[in-house]
Amino acid sequence: MTDTSHTTRESRATEVVVLIAATITMGLIAGVFYIFACAVMPALARSDDRTYVEVMRDINTVIQNPVFFLGFMGALLLTGVSAWQLRRTPCARWAGAALLSYALVFFVTAAFNIPLNNALAAKGDPHALRDHFEGPWVAWNVVRALGSTLALGLLTRALLLYGRFGGPYSGVGRSTRETKPKVSR
């Protein structure tokens, strides 16, 4: 006879590890978009056109690195895996909503921010390049910051529910007075 309780414990431990990893990577990516919205872009807005274009070109080059891609792609992959793993749990809709929210962020990045970055990389008058780039890029980045922050909140809710309703550590640390006694008849 097979010990299914061991397999179930391993499965639940894997679920919580993936959910935690998804939540952490989502927090990192939400933080990147947030810091651009709150500090980087407002600081660059004070710059002259040539400086603005040069710095954004440098940022667009430097950010394309394995560490950033691991977080950016990892948030999508881990959230997707977590949503699939939790599909039959009370937190399924929260993980699924987080996946949808971040998928929209991913789409906005691919459809709007990256093409704007590519257009900024072209040769041309710094004033014209900035004029075409700045307003739309900042607006779409705010959308990304809000969407990824929403996804982070949804994953956090899923994590809290997971611990409460079925995670491997649910019930740990709860007082025995909080549980209802079993009545035998």
Side-chain angles (χ1 to χ4, degrees):
M1 187 166 172
T2 331
D3 181 13
T4 56
S5 65
H6 180 68
T7 305
T8 303
R9 269 182 294 180
E10 283 181 357
S11 172
R12 290 188 177 177
T14 302
E15 288 172 356
V16 76
V17 166
V18 172
L19 181 54
I20 289 169
T23 305
I24 290 170
T25 55
M26 192 64 69
L28 292 170
I29 292 304
V32 168
F33 297 142
Y34 175 79
I35 200 70
F36 266 88
C38 292
V40 174
M41 299 314 287
L44 280 176
R46 297 176 175 188
S47 302
D48 63 82
D49 295 337
R50 182 170 308 287
T51 302
Y52 183 96
V53 170
E54 286 176 9
V55 170
M56 279 308 300
R57 284 176 176 167
D58 288 343
I59 289 171
N60 291 335
T61 300
V62 170
I63 204 161
Q64 295 180 45
N65 66 71
V67 174
F68 176 76
F69 285 131
L70 185 64
F72 184 68
M73 304 288 195
L76 184 64
L77 179 65
L78 289 165
T79 302
V81 170
S82 186
W84 181 80
Q85 287 178 325
L86 300 174
R87 69 192 178 280
R88 293 185 180 99
T89 68
C91 47
R93 65 181 174 171
W94 299 99
L99 178 61
L100 178 61
S101 181
Y102 190 66
L104 290 172
V105 168
F106 205 86
F107 171 77
V108 165
T109 301
F112 302 106
N113 292 91
I114 291 174
L116 287 165
N117 292 345
N118 293 340
L120 190 67
K123 295 210 182 279
D125 172 49
H127 177 73
L129 289 170
R130 179 180 182 171
D131 197 42
H132 173 75
F133 175 88
E134 187 173 19
W137 195 95
V138 168
W140 286 116
N141 185 67
V142 169
V143 170
R144 297 188 304 171
L146 292 172
S148 56
T149 301
L150 174 63
L152 175 61
L154 292 165
L155 285 171
T156 301
R157 178 71 174 144
L159 190 56
L160 292 170
L161 285 174
Y162 187 84
R164 185 172 178 198
F165 292 118
Y169 306 107
S170 62
V172 172
R174 291 189 187 148
S175 164
T176 54
R177 285 177 272 174
E178 294 176 20
T179 59
K180 293 180 182 177
K182 294 183 182 180
V183 178
S184 57
R185 292 184 186 211

